[in-house]
Amino acid sequence: MSKTIVVYGSSTGTCESIAQTIGEKTGAEVIEVVNLSAEQLESADNILLGTSTWGGGELQDDWYDGVDIVKSANLAGKKVAIFGCGDSGSYSDTFCSGMKELYDAALAAGANVVGAVSTDGYTYDDSDAVVDGKFVGLALDDVNEDDKTEGRIDAWLPTLGL
C-alpha cells in the first residue's frame, strides 16, 4: 500500500481546512509545513503540497523554509500534486500564483508532478500557476466560490492516481 501525505501552509486557516478535507478523503497523513522534514517527503510515495497565495502572488510565509526542504529531498519516482487557495475577486491578477513555486520545487527535486487542472470555469485575470494552458494543480477560491470547493476536490482527487 502506498503512503500519501498532505503538506500545507496556512495563515488564516483556509488552506489548513482544505488540507484536512483532502487528508480525510484520501486517508493521508496531514502535516503543517513548519513540521516538515526531507525524510517525511522521501518516505512517502505520494505527496500533496498546498499553499495560499499572498500579496503579489507569493507563497504563504511558512513555505519559505519548506520550499528549501522540498528542493533538497530526493523525490525521484514520487507523485507530487499541488493545490492552492486564492481570491479571484480581490487578487485576480495573481490568482493562486503561489502554487507555481511549489511546482518548480517539486520538479527540481525530481518528482513526477500530476494533477494539472483546466482553467475552464475559473474567473481570474492572470496566474503564474498556469503552465501550458492549465493550472499546475488544483486552484481553489474558498472566498468567492466556496460552493465549488468540495466538488473541485472530488473531481481532482481521482485524476491523481493515488
Side-chain angles (χ1 to χ4, degrees):
M1 185 165 151
S2 63
K3 179 180 178 184
T4 301
I5 61 173
V6 178
V7 182
Y8 72 91
S10 187
S11 296
T12 64
T14 301
C15 197
E16 178 180 11
S17 174
I18 290 168
Q20 294 293 344
T21 297
I22 291 171
E24 290 167 12
K25 289 178 180 286
T26 61
E29 177 184 3
V30 180
I31 303 167
E32 188 173 7
V33 69
V34 295
N35 300 318
L36 181 65
S37 70
E39 293 77 25
Q40 288 170 304
L41 293 170
E42 291 171 354
S43 71
D45 302 296
N46 308 303
I47 303 160
L48 287 77
L49 305 175
T51 186
S52 48
T53 297
W54 291 91
E58 289 88 33
L59 282 171
Q60 189 272 342
D61 288 346
D62 296 334
W63 266 110
Y64 286 104
D65 290 334
V67 165
D68 291 337
I69 293 169
V70 172
K71 287 179 182 176
S72 71
N74 177 4
L75 301 184
K78 301 193 182 294
K79 282 185 190 175
V80 172
I82 313 294
F83 64 96
C85 305
D87 178 344
S88 64
S90 298
Y91 298 95
S92 183
D93 59 337
T94 60
F95 179 61
C96 286
S97 286
M99 291 194 304
K100 179 68 162 66
E101 198 161 344
L102 296 182
Y103 172 80
D104 290 343
L107 288 178
N112 175 25
V113 180
V114 298
V117 172
S118 171
T119 59
D120 293 346
Y122 288 88
T123 303
Y124 67 99
D125 291 323
D126 195 21
S127 177
D128 290 346
V130 174
V131 174
D132 295 330
K134 291 186 173 188
F135 285 110
V136 297
L138 179 61
L140 298 168
D141 183 348
D142 212 51
V143 174
N144 302 294
E145 298 180 340
D146 60 322
D147 59 319
K148 295 181 180 180
T149 297
E150 183 120 7
R152 284 177 170 162
I153 292 170
D154 289 344
W156 181 65
L157 288 175
T159 71
L160 305 181
L162 304 180

